[in-house]
Amino acid sequence: MPKDWTVTQAYFWASKILSSNDIPAPYAEAEYLLAHALKCDKKDIILNHDRVLINNEVGLFKELIDRRLKREPSQQIIGEEEFWGLPFKVTKDVLIPRPETQLLVKEALKEAKNLSPEVKIVDLCTGSGCIAVSMAVELPESKVYAIDISDKALAVAGENAKKHGVDKRITFLEGNLLNPMKPLGLNGKIDLFLSNPPYVSKKMMEELQPEIELYEPMLAVSGGEDGFDYYRQIIPEAAAYLKPGGYLILEIGYGQRDGTISLIEQEKVYKGIEVKKDFAEIDRVVKAQRT
Ligand code: GLN
């Protein structure tokens, strides 16, 4: 490594080494991690391209690149990911919020417009809390119940709620699926029942990118043999908590549209099933109204 590295040299060194190790989007990743090491914005990399790095900046940047070469996701290296325009803390205990999950938030907000401002929301399998916190931020009179089986995930979600000033309106519940809702007496009282549950099938689990396989919590990813384990439990159980006219809104994985629709139809208590596609034209969100 040369002495007296400039910002540009550091950037090109990293892009090259990431690229030759088959890391996807090497230039964007180099820029993202360099900005983090230099504690600046991406635009400052351009503005200060000929600045010479100081010693500990070189060491730190090299450490970040080493971690990325071992396939650790950048969001975990940095400890943050943006979702719905808000920064969310992420650790190895939570699924990194995905951009397509914002479609679920968008659909939920669309329905919330026609509901009372004091809307009651469930976010089952909250993980980082990205869905629960975004909803609470957007709907200042809402009350959210955010559930997860992992206490470590709930701790991260709680921090995210605090960071965005909505912790007083989110009740965090630890337990398996809807079990922790049972004592709360909320049957028939929920307006929006949201969930992005683990949905990757056993076959697809064998083809995960190393970033996911090595670093993301499998508990948040694996949906059993055919990927439908959680939908099979959530779809009937959610019906009991939804208010008549309330909505069940679920994220689904590639190819899960028909299976999810048939589970919803089987229940005979939902109507108006709609499916929304994400930017990659993949069916991503399924919505149904409680009769
Ligand atoms: N609700 C979180 C998200 O959408 C976590 C989902 C999960 O753990 N399966 O990112």
Side-chain angles (χ1 to χ4, degrees), residues 42-170:
K42 284 196 242 170
K43 73 168 184 333
D44 298 318
I45 292 182
I46 300 168
L47 286 172
N48 304 318
H49 64 96
D50 51 2
R51 173 169 86 73
V52 173
L53 268 57
I54 54 173
N55 222 340
N56 61 4
E57 288 175 335
V58 175
L60 175 61
F61 184 48
K62 204 174 163 283
E63 213 176 281
L64 302 183
I65 295 298
D66 278 345
R67 286 170 68 181
R68 190 66 194 92
L69 288 173
K70 293 190 184 109
R71 292 280 175 166
E72 186 172 351
S74 288
Q75 295 94 332
Q76 283 185 10
I77 297 174
I78 285 171
E80 197 172 274
E81 172 65 329
E82 190 184 297
F83 181 89
W84 205 254
L86 303 166
F88 281 85
K89 173 176 172 166
V90 299
T91 68
K92 61 175 185 10
D93 298 310
V94 300
L95 191 82
I96 299 166
R98 304 299 205 261
E100 58 270 26
T101 302
Q102 297 173 118
L103 186 58
L104 188 157
V105 172
K106 177 186 162 195
E107 288 303 315
L109 289 172
K110 194 158 101 190
E111 300 310 338
K113 272 201 195 122
N114 304 317
L115 299 167
S116 117
E118 285 145 44
V119 51
K120 284 194 173 59
I121 302 168
V122 166
D123 174 24
L124 186 58
C125 308
T126 197
S128 66
C130 60
I131 297 172
V133 171
S134 302
M135 293 301 294
V137 167
E138 289 283 346
L139 303 168
E141 290 174 65
S142 61
K143 176 89 192 73
V144 184
Y145 300 88
I147 309 166
D148 207 285
I149 197 166
S150 155
D151 57 336
K152 289 185 176 137
L154 283 175
V156 175
E159 279 187 53
N160 282 321
K162 237 195 188 111
K163 192 209 280 278
H164 297 299
V166 292
D167 51 310
K168 301 270 185 314
R169 286 187 291 109
I170 303 183

